[in-house]
Amino acid sequence: IIGGKIAENRSGMNGGGISSAIVSNCVVSSNTALVAGGGAADGALYNCVLAGNSAGYGGGAYGSVLRNVTAAGNVSTRGAGAGVQECDVANSIVWSNSGGTNAVGGAVRYTCTTPDPGGTGNIVSGPGFVDYAGGDLRLDSSSMCVNAGDNAFAARATDIGGNDRVRASVVDLGAYESPYAPIDAYA
């Protein structure tokens, strides 16, 4: 699946939004899974936003590969990985999720999250979204997440908006490469 929005789906098991799929440049929002991966389970997501999803474990994603993903506003109903759980995460932002720790288990590197999950290149300060409350999950120009990734993990040529993925010499963290216009994650 390339582009678009995957929203308001429900699963009695895993993967409320997607299960065992490869998606890029998508907004995955307001999905629910009873057990694991409210937004995604056992998938691969590139340049995507995971927002407002909920599950028992891994409110945003469970057991998935995440590259340049922004996971914010997701919920774990069982007090585990509020944002992501048991995922392979790089060049991403996992922030402001509730019901547990932002990122639990898996490999987490070059990612903005707190507390520090112990991987290489992680940032534990706020991501500096342009307007989180208003749904603008782009990075402010003063964000520590701008030019903070590892180009080896930038698996796609464009960001979520179809703009060049690496605008300067180093990839930004999250779904957006700064300073392009937003896609409304909550619409």
Side-chain angles (χ1 to χ4, degrees), residues 5 27 45 94 99 106 125 186:
K5 187 167 187 172
V27 174
L45 289 84
V94 183
S125 298
Y186 300 106

Side-chain angles (χ1 to χ4, degrees), residues 52-101:
N53 301 291
S54 69
Y57 305 100
Y62 184 89
S64 298
V65 172
L66 308 175
R67 298 292 184 263
N68 286 102
V69 167
T70 299
N74 299 290
V75 178
S76 167
T77 59
R78 297 188 183 161
V84 302
Q85 187 166 344
E86 302 303 331
C87 291
D88 179 349
V89 186
N91 290 350
S92 296
I93 298 171
V94 183
W95 198 266
S96 196
N97 299 285
S98 61
T101 302

Side-chain angles (χ1 to χ4, degrees), residues 20-40:
S20 302
I22 299 171
V23 298
S24 65
N25 300 60
C26 288
V27 174
V28 181
S29 66
S30 304
N31 299 289
T32 303
L34 182 62
V35 180

